Amino acid sequence: MATNSASANPIGAVTGPISGPPPPASDETKTAIADAVGADPVGQHHPGQDAPPQAKTEKEVERERKKQEKAKKFAEKKMKSTSAEAAPPSKSKEKRAKQEAAKEEPLPPYHEDTPVGEKKLLKSFDDPHYKAYNPTVVESAWYAWWEKEGFFQPEFGPDGQVKRQGYFVIPEPPPNVTGSLHMGHALPNALQDTLIRWNRMRGLTTLWLPGCDHAGIATQSVVENMLRRRRNQSRYDLGREKFTALVWEWKEEYHSKINSVLRRMGGSFDWTREAFTMDENLSTAVTETFVRLHDEGIIYRANRLVNWCTKLNTALSNLEVDNKELTGRTLLDVPGYDRKVEFGVITHFQYEIVGSDERIEVATTRPETMLGDTGIAVHPTDARYQHLVGKHARHPFVDRLMPIVADDYVDPEFGTGAVKITPAHDPNDFALGTRHGLAFINILNDNGTLNAATGAYDGVKRFDARYTVVEALKARGLFVKKEDNPMKVPLCQRSKDVIEPLMKPQWWVRMRELADGAIDVVRRGDIVIRPETAEKSYYRWLEDVTDWCISRQLWWGHQCPVYLVEIAGRPSDPSVDTHWVAGRTEAEAQAKATAKFPGQTFTLRRDEDVLDTWFSSGLWPFSTLGWPKTTPDYSRLYPTSVLETGWDILFFWVARMIMLGVKMTGQVPFHEVYCHSLVRDSEGRKMSKSLGNVIDPQDVVDGIPLQGLHDKLLLGNLDPKEVERASKFQQQAFPEGIPQCGADALRFSLVSYTTGGGDINFDIKVIHGYRKFCNKIYQATKYVLGKLDSSFVPLATVHQTGQESLAERWILHKFTLASKEINQALAEREFQRSTVTVYQYWYSHLCDVYIENSKSILQEGSAEAQASAKQTLYTALEGGLTMIHPFMPFLTEELWQRLPRRPGDTTPSIVKVSYPTYDPSLDDPASEAAYELVLGISKGIRSLMAEYSIKEDGRVYIQTYDETSHRTTTEQMQSIKSLSGKGVSSMTVMRGEDGQPGGSVVFAVSSSAAVFLHVKGRVDIESEIQKTSTKLRRAQDGAARQTKILNEKGYQDKVAAQLQEVERRKLRDFEAEVKALQDSLDRFRLLV
């Protein structure tokens, strides 16, 4: 006997109702089903209140994360299949399709008739542009109206204070004003706007504050490259004033482009509060912070080793340096060199000992630095060198004697046990040189050439000297050997230049005190960092934090508000902190200098350096609200609510905002940090312009041909070789360009990608699949509106009238559960769970089941039945649009505006509609179970009819195993017939004790019912015995798996009671399936 199992879903899998697209209702059943609509198979269910949520254990959290990762892969697979072409059509169908296409005239370009800023003039669905979903049409006009009407500005109560529901504020992580946005910006914007729109609809005072970062190094680097390529000039050719003016021009151009894309994406920013890190007030905040911290001694001046980029001519923080790991000899491209430079080798050579014939062997991975050696260290107990301690080695190329010192730092087992010391060019050597009073000799100019301290090598480029020094050592017989050596090469993130440790007087921030405060507020729970892995990284970095170099040798940025006091008649050392004063104005600095040096004649010279970009960005949450002034926004809306950002800038930015926020305002800057994943390309690679895999979100929204992608590569500063490589990737990844997906589909897909787990591999097929989902929503709304005539008036409130059919109660139950689940998921920042829930509601419940199953009622039902069905359709549709609005703002506004309003409802926009919440009066699990039994039975019948190719005269038996199922099946018989197709000639309901019908195959619906189809004389019995035996083994394996889960040690203590019941029900379903299959197999064997 054969079977299909409806109960073999893997544990934890996301499932919909047991239903597929039903066939059209037959004419003979339409009247009968209409008459049966009012039948109520079960009594009304009055549930109690929700139990308080229980805290999840670590295992449950991990299980949930894995479940979401699995759901993510499933959703991606489904979207790809949805967007892919269907099976090739038959030639006749293809021919007809071509003929139809030939008849249709192509639509002219869409023209929006609505004046900019006015409410959109909606056209009929009969208009050619509105017949099918078109993102260009749907997404036009709405944003300008939203913005003009002030819908995105925070609403305060009658007293001017935050509304009683509270406030929700997100300061947008400001994009760098260096060019176009990419998918790495689109992802956080989709997540943040989802939260903002959701909280606005929940009635909170909401603010999403937009802005841009001046991005000192990044912007200056881009503009300098542009200047060199277009004019063959450097910034020095223009001078500081003209160059800075050029950067401001660049900023204005690209700032407007960035904002245009953000608007196109539907971001509900309050543009009246837009900020820029070099605005007047934000610059005031930078000055205030620097002066206060300098006065307290937290900011100080020191001549210390810094990370120096010779290409950009500036110091960098450790976080702006990437360490490239090498396993051995590697040739790397270095800016400014025609040939590749050798790294990953260690060179051994010797120094001669003064006053003897001895030599001492040392080794280095940077041979050119030996020109700055000023000492040699050995371990105090190393017998090989004890007699040399206190003696000197002679430098072979410069007139310099180098003392040999003993230090415990040296590992006698590593290498030769002797270490060359270059105090001015190595962090470890810096410490050694300090301890032993060695000379600190800088051998590098700022541009990476060697200076006069290197003698004959003066003016030679550093990596040219790497080779010439080795050759000179060989010529003097001092070279020993060269061998592979695993190492890390520090590279500038911006220029990819090799970083040089260099002694420079700079401004530093003492981090220990600030870091301790930032650790405390997270440990106390004042700030929650999600996911947990990000919190652990946060602690690890702050516990090992080092002082922060905040000065940069740039022209674009906030000039340091500090002045060197130059006293007449005596030199002032710019590397000494005591010779400097900080001031909010030059007059304040003058007063401080007068008090510090009474009776002295002096002049003030302002430091030309600018501050690290992350210094001003670290003030973003409070400076954008008006600090250091006590503005209404700062008083009412600070601390902010959430900081949503990428985990990769957790240390660059997030930690510094917390440190500076706690220090400067005495409060945390936000209460929550959510770190999203990184967006990678379809091959899992980090997005890079030189690879050609950086995707402009506007290209996904509007679509772009392949040639358009190629052309955009030429607009940047890419090297011709990089352009060629990038073009090849584009050809491979987007052979036909990027199809138009629309902003709503892009937003929804990005939110659905977000699980809190691994990084995101961008795939255009998934996004295009969600465009088809948008069309599903569009067509469903279009259909429902077509059924609501001008006389239709929706109920004033959402409630049951008592006249609802079983199907109506089922969809209202699904609606209120979906509302509950989405609200909970968004509150817990489980973004993918929220999209899965709303997707299932729309696709699996509303469109594929309820709308389809209501068609016969609307066509043939009684007036009362039709009226009730229309009210339910309206409620389910209105609620569905409202639920999905935070994810898809344009489509939902377009469709919601076409709905008739409930009496007394004057809400102007869906932006302002109240978000659906859980309604206990609609929660009806009994009706859910009853209707899903109906759906399961009808699915089983269709499945068996299809599997055994029985298209007519199908004899069906439905066996029920409890009284509730028997009553439901009997009362809903006509519904089941309607959903089962025209091929069924008879349908009989049986009780469990009646025994199984002979000569039949079985479909085990659940532990409550099974479907049998009579096939004797119509199938090969031997073949069915074999098929049924295989299915029986699968069912037995499923039952064994469930039993193992339920019997696992500690299961009952660790798993919530509700989840345990779900697993027990799965076991009962498997056991019922096993019994049905075994019985059917026995009966088949009797027929042989």
Side-chain angles (χ1 to χ4, degrees):
M1 184 176 267
T3 183
N4 284 310
S5 172
S7 58
N9 294 311
I11 296 168
V14 178
T15 61
I18 306 171
S19 172
S26 59
D27 293 335
E28 64 266 24
T29 61
K30 284 182 179 178
T31 303
I33 189 173
D35 293 338
V37 163
D40 188 350
V42 294
Q44 290 298 311
H45 174 71
H46 299 283
Q49 295 299 313
D50 288 343
Q54 297 180 346
K56 296 179 180 178
T57 65
E58 288 188 13
K59 284 192 175 181
E60 285 177 315
V61 171
E62 179 62 16
R63 189 183 298 119
E64 181 70 20
R65 187 190 68 76
K66 289 181 178 178
K67 176 181 175 182
Q68 290 191 24
E69 290 282 5
K70 188 174 183 180
K72 171 185 173 183
K73 293 178 181 178
F74 174 77
E76 290 177 8
K77 184 177 180 181
K78 187 167 184 178
M79 282 300 98
K80 287 183 183 180
S81 64
T82 302
S83 67
E85 292 295 330
S90 63
K91 289 185 178 180
S92 59
K93 287 184 178 179
E94 191 173 2
K95 185 176 180 180
R96 284 199 302 271
K98 287 182 179 179
Q99 290 172 346
E100 291 296 325
K103 293 178 185 177
E104 293 184 9
E105 291 292 330
L107 288 175
Y110 176 72
H111 173 72
E112 181 54 64
D113 295 328
T114 306
V116 176
E118 298 300 314
K119 186 174 181 180
K120 187 172 182 178
L121 301 173
L122 294 174
K123 297 181 181 179
S124 167
F125 284 126
D126 293 330
D127 184 289
H129 285 290
Y130 285 82
K131 285 186 176 180
Y133 171 70
N134 182 342
T136 301
V137 176
V138 167
E139 296 173 5
S140 68
W142 290 118
Y143 196 94
W145 177 62
W146 289 335
E147 189 175 343
K148 181 182 177 184
E149 292 297 316
F151 292 151
F152 302 155
Q153 295 177 28
E155 283 188 4
F156 296 95
D159 59 355
Q161 297 302 310
V162 168
K163 293 196 290 186
R164 62 176 180 80
Q165 294 92 332
Y167 70 82
F168 187 82
V169 177
I170 295 181
E172 179 207 15
N176 290 348
V177 62
T178 51
S180 302
L181 298 183
H182 51 72
M183 296 307 293
H185 297 102
L187 170 64
N189 277 272
L191 296 175
Q192 290 166 47
D193 198 31
T194 295
L195 292 176
I196 284 288
R197 288 180 180 270
W198 173 61
N199 278 286
R200 184 183 292 121
M201 296 171 79
R202 293 173 64 221
L204 280 72
T205 297
T206 57
L207 171 62
W208 191 17
L209 198 151
C212 272
D213 194 306
H214 69 279
I217 291 178
T219 302
Q220 179 161 318
S221 176
V222 168
V223 175
E224 284 195 82
N225 286 337
M226 178 271 293
L227 191 62
R228 185 179 67 254
R229 289 181 182 278
R230 295 181 185 178
R231 305 186 193 175
N232 195 29
Q233 291 181 314
S234 72
R235 59 171 157 148
Y236 301 103
D237 294 325
L238 270 65
R240 184 165 188 158
E241 184 177 345
K242 289 184 178 179
F243 178 78
T244 303
L246 181 65
V247 180
W248 273 107
E249 291 176 13
W250 173 278
K251 176 263 176 188
E252 293 303 325
E253 177 185 352
Y254 281 90
H255 190 176
S256 62
K257 289 181 180 179
I258 288 169
N259 289 356
S260 175
V261 176
L262 293 176
R263 286 180 167 93
R264 188 69 184 85
M265 285 281 294
S268 57
F269 297 100
D270 179 4
W271 292 104
T272 67
R273 288 172 164 82
E274 184 185 9
F276 179 57
T277 48
M278 289 180 66
D279 285 346
E280 181 180 354
N281 188 73
L282 277 73
S283 296
T284 299
V286 169
T287 299
E288 180 69 22
T289 302
F290 186 99
V291 172
R292 279 200 209 174
L293 296 182
H294 184 267
D295 288 350
E296 291 183 34
I298 294 176
I299 289 179
Y300 65 96
R301 184 80 167 175
N303 187 22
R304 292 168 50 177
L305 280 178
V306 298
N307 299 305
W308 186 260
C309 175
T310 63
K311 178 173 174 55
L312 299 180
N313 265 314
T314 185
L316 303 174
S317 73
N318 290 338
L319 297 176
E320 294 166 308
V321 177
D322 291 329
N323 288 300
K324 185 177 182 65
E325 294 203 27
L326 306 179
T327 57
R329 183 177 184 270
T330 307
L331 297 178
L332 298 179
D333 284 314
V334 178
Y337 290 82
D338 295 330
R339 64 174 184 174
K340 293 187 176 184
V341 179
E342 181 182 65
F343 294 88
V345 296
I346 189 166
T347 300
H348 292 251
F349 66 96
Q350 297 171 331
Y351 279 123
E352 296 176 337
I353 305 300
V354 176
S356 76
D357 295 333
E358 287 187 84
R359 294 181 175 184
I360 188 168
E361 183 178 331
V362 294
T364 180
T365 58
R366 301 157 65 207
E368 68 278 8
T369 63
M370 63 88 65
L371 296 169
D373 286 357
T374 60
I376 298 170
V378 297
H379 195 274
T381 62
D382 192 335
R384 295 172 296 176
Y385 303 118
Q386 284 178 331
H387 67 290
L388 296 178
V389 175
K391 295 186 178 182
H392 292 77
R394 187 188 309 280
H395 200 288
F397 305 131
V398 291
D399 185 16
R400 187 184 308 151
L401 297 181
M402 301 175 293
I404 300 173
V405 300
D407 197 287
D408 292 333
Y409 164 79
V410 180
D411 180 0
E413 304 297 324
F414 181 78
T416 65
V419 176
K420 61 185 282 296
I421 306 174
T422 320
H425 293 284
D426 182 275
N428 296 319
D429 292 3
F430 180 91
L432 277 170
T434 302
R435 283 198 296 273
H436 296 282
L438 302 180
F440 284 68
I441 298 177
N442 174 34
I443 63 170
L444 280 176
N445 296 312
D446 288 353
N447 65 358
T449 58
L450 302 184
N451 61 25
T454 62
Y457 293 90
D458 185 13
V460 178
K461 294 165 71 174
R462 56 183 168 150
F463 293 127
D464 289 341
R466 173 165 294 188
Y467 296 99
T468 55
V469 163
V470 171
E471 291 304 315
L473 288 169
K474 289 178 179 179
R476 289 177 176 258
L478 297 174
F479 177 81
V480 178
K481 63 180 178 180
K482 185 171 68 173
E483 55 191 3
D484 281 9
N485 181 70
M487 64 178 294
K488 294 179 180 178
V489 178
L491 301 177
C492 171
Q493 284 187 336
R494 295 295 173 187
S495 69
K496 305 308 176 187
D497 192 12
V498 177
I499 294 298
E500 289 292 342
L502 197 62
M503 293 282 292
K504 284 283 184 180
Q506 301 286 304
W507 293 107
W508 299 79
V509 178
R510 299 187 198 280
M511 298 294 281
R512 186 68 270 152
E513 177 189 339
L514 300 179
D516 289 342
I519 290 172
D520 289 344
V521 294
V522 176
R523 286 205 168 127
R524 285 200 309 264
D526 297 342
I527 297 177
V528 175
I529 299 179
R530 308 186 197 199
E532 187 179 346
T533 52
E535 182 183 299
K536 291 178 180 177
S537 298
Y538 173 85
Y539 286 137
R540 188 165 54 250
W541 182 72
L542 286 181
E543 286 164 357
D544 297 330
V545 73
T546 57
D547 284 359
W548 172 20
C549 175
I550 58 170
S551 45
R552 299 289 181 269
Q553 290 63 52
L554 303 173
W555 290 353
W556 173 246
H558 296 100
Q559 190 172 353
C560 297
V562 63
Y563 301 79
L564 179 65
V565 182
E566 297 180 314
I567 300 174
R570 76 185 203 202
S572 295
D573 186 351
S575 67
V576 178
D577 191 42
T578 55
H579 291 179
W580 294 83
V581 291
R584 295 166 183 82
T585 63
E586 186 169 348
E588 181 183 348
Q590 185 82 25
K592 285 184 177 179
T594 300
K596 192 172 187 178
F597 302 100
Q600 301 287 329
T601 301
F602 61 82
T603 56
L604 295 181
R605 178 162 56 88
R606 187 169 181 177
D607 192 348
E608 292 187 353
D609 288 354
V610 301
L611 291 166
D612 181 5
T613 296
W614 298 105
F615 188 83
S616 57
S617 300
L619 314 178
W620 185 253
F622 46 99
S623 63
T624 51
L625 293 174
W627 187 91
K629 300 173 185 175
T630 307
T631 63
D633 278 357
Y634 179 70
S635 300
R636 295 178 297 188
L637 301 176
Y638 187 81
T640 64
S641 307
V642 175
L643 191 282
E644 195 284 328
T645 187
W647 60 260
D648 56 325
I649 57 173
L650 184 64
F651 315 128
F652 276 108
W653 189 41
V654 178
R656 288 167 174 170
M657 279 190 289
I658 296 174
M659 287 187 282
L660 292 172
V662 171
K663 176 64 179 177
M664 303 310 297
T665 73
Q667 301 180 77
V668 294
F670 29 71
H671 293 296
E672 178 188 346
V673 176
Y674 181 87
C675 296
H676 63 249
S677 304
L678 298 186
V679 181
R680 300 183 180 274
D681 68 13
S682 55
E683 299 176 10
R685 299 179 303 176
K686 191 170 182 179
M687 290 193 171
S688 165
K689 290 179 182 178
S690 62
L691 293 177
N693 58 2
V694 173
I695 306 301
D696 185 337
Q698 193 151 325
D699 291 340
V700 178
V701 172
D702 297 329
I704 186 173
L706 177 62
Q707 187 58 49
L709 291 172
H710 289 343
D711 293 344
K712 292 181 78 168
L713 294 174
L714 303 177
L715 300 178
N717 292 316
L718 292 182
D719 181 90
K721 291 181 180 178
E722 294 176 327
V723 171
E724 182 181 358
R725 179 172 60 174
S727 297
K728 287 181 179 178
F729 173 80
Q730 291 176 341
Q731 176 72 49
Q732 173 190 341
F734 311 109
E736 298 178 6
I738 297 176
Q740 182 188 37
C741 297
D744 286 322
L746 173 58
R747 288 168 57 112
F748 192 85
S749 64
L750 290 172
V751 178
S752 72
Y753 269 128
T754 305
T755 65
D759 289 344
I760 295 169
N761 287 3
F762 173 86
D763 195 327
I764 195 64
K765 294 186 180 69
V766 174
I767 300 174
H768 197 248
Y770 279 121
R771 172 182 166 152
K772 296 181 182 294
F773 177 45
C774 291
N775 184 60
K776 187 87 168 177
I777 296 171
Y778 188 87
Q779 296 298 343
T781 305
K782 182 179 173 183
Y783 166 79
V784 173
L785 288 173
K787 298 301 179 182
L788 304 180
D789 56 35
S790 58
S791 64
F792 174 78
V793 178
L795 298 173
T797 60
V798 178
H799 66 277
Q800 288 194 14
T801 65
Q803 302 300 314
E804 289 81 10
S805 66
L806 176 61
E808 290 175 72
R809 294 198 303 276
W810 175 81
I811 191 61
L812 292 174
H813 169 80
K814 291 294 186 184
F815 166 63
T816 199
L817 288 190
S819 302
K820 178 181 180 180
E821 180 74 8
I822 295 169
N823 280 295
Q824 182 181 359
L826 290 177
E828 296 174 357
R829 311 299 184 243
E830 295 184 7
F831 292 100
Q832 187 187 73
R833 192 175 115 208
S834 68
T835 58
V836 167
T837 301
V838 77
Y839 180 89
Q840 282 188 330
Y841 173 77
W842 267 100
Y843 213 106
S844 303
H845 302 154
L846 182 55
C847 294
D848 283 1
V849 177
Y850 181 68
I851 289 179
E852 289 298 323
N853 295 357
S854 67
K855 288 180 178 179
S856 61
I857 306 300
L858 297 177
Q859 293 171 6
E860 305 292 343
S862 65
E864 293 79 7
Q866 288 192 31
S868 182
K870 288 178 181 179
Q871 290 291 347
T872 301
L873 272 174
Y874 178 89
T875 295
L877 181 68
E878 177 200 45
L881 290 173
T882 309
M883 277 198 301
I884 205 170
H885 171 74
F887 311 97
M888 296 183 171
F890 293 107
L891 176 62
T892 51
E893 184 75 274
E894 176 84 16
L895 299 177
W896 183 86
Q897 290 287 353
R898 296 173 182 272
L899 296 181
R901 294 279 85 82
R902 295 186 185 273
D905 182 9
T906 58
T907 309
S909 166
I910 195 171
V911 171
K912 297 290 188 177
V913 170
S914 295
Y915 199 80
T917 57
Y918 172 69
D919 183 351
S921 69
L922 303 181
D923 191 346
D924 191 351
S927 291
E928 176 188 38
Y931 195 61
E932 293 194 359
L933 178 63
V934 170
L935 296 174
I937 290 171
S938 62
K939 176 186 177 181
I941 295 170
R942 295 197 309 274
S943 179
L944 292 176
M945 296 280 286
E947 183 174 351
Y948 294 97
S949 302
I950 296 177
K951 298 180 180 179
E952 59 184 15
D953 197 24
R955 292 162 54 191
V956 172
Y957 302 88
I958 305 169
Q959 189 165 46
T960 60
Y961 303 125
D962 58 62
E963 189 58 37
T964 301
S965 299
H966 188 78
R967 184 172 66 252
T968 299
T969 305
T970 303
E971 293 178 353
Q972 296 294 316
M973 181 62 70
Q974 292 302 328
S975 295
I976 295 171
K977 285 182 178 179
S978 172
L979 297 171
S980 298
K982 297 180 180 180
V984 178
S985 60
S986 67
M987 190 175 291
T988 304
V989 181
M990 308 166 56
R991 295 183 181 276
E993 57 267 23
D994 294 339
Q996 292 187 357
S1000 300
V1001 289
V1002 63
F1003 184 104
V1005 177
S1006 67
S1007 59
S1008 301
V1011 172
F1012 296 86
L1013 177 65
H1014 189 269
V1015 295
K1016 185 178 180 182
R1018 306 176 78 166
V1019 298
D1020 181 351
I1021 299 299
E1022 289 289 349
S1023 174
E1024 294 312 312
I1025 290 175
Q1026 190 173 10
K1027 287 166 62 178
T1028 304
S1029 298
T1030 300
K1031 293 179 179 180
L1032 175 61
R1033 285 194 296 274
R1034 285 206 298 264
Q1036 289 170 333
D1037 290 343
R1041 285 195 305 271
Q1042 286 301 112
T1043 301
K1044 183 178 180 181
I1045 290 171
L1046 292 169
N1047 292 337
E1048 185 180 349
K1049 184 178 179 181
Y1051 175 81
Q1052 294 186 359
D1053 297 328
K1054 297 175 184 177
V1055 180
Q1058 187 178 3
L1059 293 178
Q1060 291 186 42
E1061 178 54 33
V1062 170
E1063 300 302 335
R1064 282 194 290 268
R1065 186 169 64 248
K1066 288 181 180 179
L1067 176 60
R1068 291 196 296 270
D1069 290 346
F1070 274 124
E1071 290 173 341
E1073 184 179 359
V1074 168
K1075 185 179 185 306
L1077 286 167
Q1078 186 62 62
D1079 291 346
S1080 297
L1081 188 60
D1082 293 341
R1083 290 180 180 278
F1084 266 130
R1085 285 171 176 158
L1086 293 175
L1087 299 176
V1088 177

